[in-house]
Amino acid sequence: MTETILSLKQISKSYQMGEEEQAVLKSINLEIKKGEFLAVLGPSGSGKSTLMNIIGLLDEPTSGHYFLAGNQVDHLSEKELAAIRNKEIGFVFQQFQLLQKLTALQNTELPLIYSGIPAKARKKRAIEMLERVGLKDKMLNRPHQLSGGQQQRVAIARALVTEPSILLADEPTGALDQKTGQQIIKLFQELHGEGKTIVMITHDLEVAANGSRIIRILDGEIDEVNKHDD
Ligand SMILES: Nc1ncnc2c1ncn2[C@@H]1O[C@H](COP(=O)(O)OP(=O)(O)OP(=O)(O)O)[C@@H](O)[C@H]1O
Ligand SMILES: [Mg+2]
């Protein structure tokens, strides 16, 4: 039996827009097992990033319950959320979100500083992660001295350096050309093969097809669940 790493129960999110309440997520039920590579597909405005922000503890649902790695994480304080976020979640974004003044190595080390890991161990782990994503030889480069695909590799190394339970990626190939995007997807597939749990958001069916499971969000609801064997 595979362990459930994440479970959303009747998660809803709405925004008050003047008089009207806009429902962005409508009673989402979702279970993610350890080691899954889940692709979340859906058109622009369907609620994908809202869902990712809730999964990543960057945003709170309006109602519903959320269990992550054995913790109930709805209704926690900011401080508690930040601690769980740092431990359990690694983020990868469309625009990489690296700090421009820091080298690839310093960017990769950053989450470990927040975790309070000593400097020497930090550096060692960051170098190992950069090696894993094929960028050890560029570790002293700053982001502007790297290609888009290389910057995304640094972002992936940074996301994984804390050994999070889940890697969350929001349109990770969205800013890359097709060939570079495929290389990033290949890296995700390798990480999936090594047992990492990955949630990847995309509006591109071809990209989503690389997941071990695909769900589709339409207008704030999970419209279709397409499972195939892992
Ligand atoms: N802070 C907010 N206040 C009000 N409405 C919001 C807020 N954030 C998101 N929304 C609305 O929620 C809906 C879903 O947005 P979301 O960013 O989750 O879509 P998405 O599926 O990620 O789209 P895209 O593919 O374009 O990134 C949109 O209609 C958006 O306008
Ligand atoms: Mg989005």
Side-chain angles (χ1 to χ4, degrees), residues 23-82:
V24 175
L25 294 178
K26 302 166 187 168
S27 203
I28 298 275
N29 290 303
L30 178 63
E31 230 178 63
I32 301 176
K33 305 273 186 210
K34 194 170 191 293
E36 270 196 295
F37 180 8
L38 178 72
V40 180
L41 190 62
S44 183
S46 57
K48 302 183 300 295
S49 293
T50 305
L51 179 66
M52 160 147 163
N53 289 339
I54 289 174
I55 289 177
L57 304 175
L58 293 170
D59 198 0
E60 285 186 276
T62 310
S63 62
H65 294 295
Y66 178 12
F67 301 86
L68 173 64
N71 309 290
Q72 181 164 6
V73 293
D74 46 281
H75 303 114
L76 291 183
S77 70
E78 267 308 315
K79 207 178 155 188
E80 290 168 316
L81 286 174

Side-chain angles (χ1 to χ4, degrees), residues 127-145:
I127 291 172
E128 281 167 5
M129 269 328 298
L130 285 168
E131 190 162 25
R132 173 64 197 86
V133 301
L135 266 192
K136 194 180 168 203
D137 60 330
K138 303 277 184 188
M139 70 182 185
L140 298 180
N141 287 34
R142 290 174 208 282
H144 73 273
Q145 300 165 323

Side-chain angles (χ1 to χ4, degrees), residues 206-223:
E206 256 182 69
V207 172
N210 293 285
S212 60
R213 176 180 159 208
I214 304 173
I215 61 171
R216 190 189 294 268
I217 298 194
L218 225 93
D219 204 14
E221 292 181 279
I222 294 182
D223 170 62

Side-chain angles (χ1 to χ4, degrees), residues 67-208:
F67 301 86
L68 173 64
N71 309 290
Q72 181 164 6
V73 293
D74 46 281
H75 303 114
L76 291 183
S77 70
E78 267 308 315
K79 207 178 155 188
E80 290 168 316
L81 286 174
I84 296 180
R85 191 189 306 132
N86 186 252
K87 183 164 176 279
E88 309 291 353
I89 310 274
F91 291 99
V92 172
F93 300 96
Q94 181 170 349
Q95 300 295 341
F96 326 132
Q97 313 249 24
L98 300 172
L99 295 181
Q100 296 301 317
K101 289 192 173 158
L102 303 185
T103 64
L105 178 59
Q106 290 166 329
N107 269 287
T108 307
E109 270 187 69
L110 213 51
L112 297 176
I113 296 179
Y114 301 127
S115 315
I117 311 275
K120 215 173 149 187
R122 238 169 30 216
K123 191 170 173 186
K124 182 167 177 280
R125 274 168 68 176
I127 291 172
E128 281 167 5
M129 269 328 298
L130 285 168
E131 190 162 25
R132 173 64 197 86
V133 301
L135 266 192
K136 194 180 168 203
D137 60 330
K138 303 277 184 188
M139 70 182 185
L140 298 180
N141 287 34
R142 290 174 208 282
H144 73 273
Q145 300 165 323
L146 296 168
S147 70
Q150 289 169 340
Q151 290 184 59
Q152 195 60 302
R153 281 171 195 276
V154 175
I156 293 167
R158 178 185 58 183
L160 291 174
V161 77
T162 54
E163 298 178 358
S165 307
I166 300 180
L167 179 66
L168 275 184
D170 193 350
E171 302 275 5
T173 62
L176 303 174
D177 63 58
Q178 207 193 355
K179 184 163 165 261
T180 312
Q182 277 169 356
Q183 289 166 354
I184 294 298
I185 295 298
K186 182 164 171 277
L187 177 58
F188 279 173
Q189 284 183 318
E190 288 169 13
L191 294 165
H192 169 58
E194 292 165 18
K196 294 268 183 283
T197 309
I198 302 171
V199 178
M200 176 181 69
I201 287 175
T202 179
H203 61 264
D204 184 336
L205 180 59
E206 256 182 69
V207 172

